[in-house]
Amino acid sequence: MACFVVPVGEAVITTVIQKVVEKKEKKNSRGKTKERVLSWSQRLRFLNGLLWGGSLLLAFEHIWHGEVVPWPPFLTAMRDPADVGPMFHEIATIGVGMAIFVTFIWAVAMLTVELKASISGLNVEYKRGG
């Protein structure tokens, strides 16, 4: 029905945060030479890609099945008051669950990148010392 609105909302928020972080990183990076594996703006760009991509595919699927239409009220579940309750239940359960799952997968991916980078750094130091 409308489960994709939760990931869309999260994507809007994280996109705004990414833009703010990018500006701060550009301002703070002048004159500094230390680089991280991935900057926070790059990490947030990856999360935004996951959220926007998944949300667009879900919106397309809902349009395909006639649950979203291009005229008001846009969601066919809003036509009948009896369908509004189940729609909000789906948003609260499926939508929130999808947003949490995507964010969890992103966090695991970022932790994996950090772990692999730290292991690679240890190997480089070992080779230099040996």
Side-chain angles (χ1 to χ4, degrees):
M1 289 182 210
C3 57
F4 63 94
V5 295
V6 177
V8 166
E10 183 181 354
V12 168
I13 292 169
T14 56
T15 300
V16 170
I17 292 171
Q18 177 197 343
K19 298 297 179 190
V20 171
V21 168
E22 275 180 349
K23 285 184 180 179
K24 286 186 178 182
E25 286 175 348
K26 284 181 182 176
K27 191 182 286 184
N28 292 337
S29 68
R30 294 180 187 148
K32 292 185 177 181
T33 57
K34 186 177 180 182
E35 294 287 332
R36 295 187 62 125
V37 176
L38 286 175
S39 67
W40 271 103
S41 63
Q42 290 171 322
R43 294 170 191 217
L44 289 170
R45 187 177 302 126
F46 182 65
L47 176 61
N48 288 332
L50 292 173
L51 290 169
W52 283 115
S55 298
L56 288 175
L57 284 175
L58 274 172
F60 178 74
E61 186 268 337
H62 284 50
I63 291 169
W64 186 272
H65 288 106
E67 296 172 343
V68 177
V69 292
W71 52 84
F74 304 110
L75 302 171
T76 55
M78 296 290 283
R79 291 184 189 157
D80 186 7
D83 291 338
V84 173
M87 181 187 73
F88 282 121
H89 182 264
E90 181 183 306
I91 290 171
T93 56
I94 304 297
V96 170
M98 286 188 307
I100 290 171
F101 183 73
V102 168
T103 305
F104 174 75
I105 294 299
W106 168 78
V108 169
M110 294 301 107
L111 287 174
T112 303
V113 167
E114 286 290 327
L115 182 63
K116 189 168 181 164
S118 68
I119 289 172
S120 296
L122 290 175
N123 287 341
V124 169
E125 288 179 13
Y126 176 74
K127 287 179 183 175
R128 286 181 186 164

